[in-house]
Amino acid sequence: MGVRLMVVDDHRLLAEALASALKLRGHRVLAAAAPAAGAAELVITRAPEVCLLGTATPAEPGIFDPVVRIKRERPQVAVLVLGPVPNPRGIAAAFAAGACGYVRHDERIEGVERAIMKARSGEAAVAPQLLQGAFSELLNPAAQPDDEGQRLLRLLTPREVEVLVRVADGEDTRLIAAGMGIAPSTARTHVQRVLMKLGVGSRLEAAALAARTGLLDRAGPLTRELRTEDPAPES
């Protein structure tokens, strides 16, 4: 039996893609996108069984205030947080606010659906290793927050950063090659290396990860500098 749910995220493209995938699997999606500021009001008004609430900065103070309000005014609504690569502080904060689960935003649709079903049945919808990390963080908080975007940025070469930005802009291999003055085969190689280094399986997942961790914002100055240079043709 399908679940009556909402997908609330200020990244409209990602929210609508997830909502469409869930509809195809027989679920009733009440809404697909909304700015973070209006998330609580929207959920309280519609009162779904499960709410998928997206956030790019789970460790930011106050980011889960909408969850607190939702659980106060609609305690029967199960709130699942969609967040970036596991951050123990973010997971801990989500549960402290009243969320019943935390799902990586690059999780496969089957994993998202399993979390939804667990949430509806009242179970904690989070991978055991993530939950263990969250408890460890609560008991032994780190002095400084992790910067996932900066960590990921350090994995990439300047050229790979530019490729990632172009992928996030929706450019295909042909456009990437033309824009960077390289051969399509070289562009494909760059894309594959980016996916491998980020640990994702598709361009959409790479774009989602980059957006949610703030990697794209950090990459901006670097890519602007690269694009002002004359591209050297590559074979």
Side-chain angles (χ1 to χ4, degrees), residues 155-167:
L155 298 177
L156 307 176
T157 67
R159 275 300 194 195
E160 289 166 350
V161 171
E162 182 176 357
V163 168
L164 177 58
V165 171
R166 290 179 181 276
V167 166

Side-chain angles (χ1 to χ4, degrees), residues 181-204:
I182 59 179
S185 59
T186 304
R188 281 192 294 273
T189 298
H190 282 319
V191 171
Q192 289 304 312
R193 286 176 179 168
V194 168
L195 299 185
M196 179 184 68
K197 288 184 177 182
L198 296 184
V200 297
S202 71
R203 297 184 183 211
L204 179 59

Side-chain angles (χ1 to χ4, degrees), residues 18-132:
L18 179 55
S20 296
L22 290 169
K23 286 179 181 178
L24 289 175
R25 300 178 78 86
H27 301 290
R28 180 185 173 191
V29 184
L30 302 181
E41 191 67 38
L42 188 58
V43 175
I44 290 168
T45 300
R46 298 294 188 89
E49 293 178 273
V50 179
C51 169
L52 295 170
L53 183 65
T55 178
T57 54
E60 181 179 325
I63 196 67
F64 294 121
D65 286 351
V67 180
V68 174
R69 185 183 170 197
I70 291 169
K71 297 304 293 183
R72 182 177 65 244
E73 299 190 29
R74 294 283 187 180
Q76 74 277 17
V77 176
V79 180
L80 273 175
V81 173
L82 292 170
V85 173
N87 181 314
R89 276 180 292 281
I91 299 170
F95 275 92
C100 67
Y102 187 103
V103 182
R104 283 177 50 157
H105 58 72
D106 57 354
E107 177 64 79
R108 294 183 180 277
I109 190 63
E110 293 84 2
V112 175
E113 187 174 41
R114 282 194 297 271
I116 290 171
M117 303 308 291
K118 284 186 176 182
R120 185 174 68 170
S121 65
E123 299 179 49
V126 61
Q129 64 270 27
L130 302 190
L131 192 58
Q132 182 179 5

